[in-house]
Amino acid sequence: MTRWSEERPESLGEASLVYLDELLPEETPSQKSLRQFTATCPNAHMQISRRQAALLAWVVGLTGAKRVSELGVFPGYSALTMAQAMPEDGQLIACA
């Protein structure tokens, strides 16, 4: 079964996805560890993909966000990603 977050739009070919993946920044060790842990959890399919995480980080960085709220944390990959994209004086409020 394919995770819904990894399903590919029919309009994107494999070559386009390979190119996109080459442009993505590397995961931090914390992100990689959390993603690997979450893969072993029940309902692991609920975790966002690496591509989606990169988009979130880009939006946070682009907007210069210093405060972010996340409602519905499972188990925190997206929250971690956004926190890492904020400046040091940034604040993340997350609740499950």
Side-chain angles (χ1 to χ4, degrees), residues 20-70:
L20 175 63
D21 288 340
E22 289 173 358
L23 296 176
L24 295 178
E26 291 292 320
E27 287 181 302
T28 64
S30 298
Q31 287 173 305
K32 187 172 184 175
S33 176
L34 185 55
R35 184 178 46 77
Q36 290 171 342
F37 166 76
T38 304
T40 68
C41 295
N43 296 321
H45 65 278
M46 291 173 35
Q47 177 173 277
I48 66 169
S49 71
R50 187 169 162 252
R51 292 177 188 136
Q52 291 167 322
L55 176 63
L56 281 176
W58 179 75
V59 169
V60 168
L62 180 70
T63 62
K66 288 190 172 187
R67 286 187 270 166
V68 173
S69 297
E70 181 173 19

Side-chain angles (χ1 to χ4, degrees), residues 72-93:
V73 177
F74 173 84
Y77 184 77
S78 57
L80 174 64
T81 298
M82 291 186 289
Q84 290 175 334
M86 287 190 290
E88 283 192 29
D89 62 341
Q91 180 182 28
L92 174 74
I93 300 172

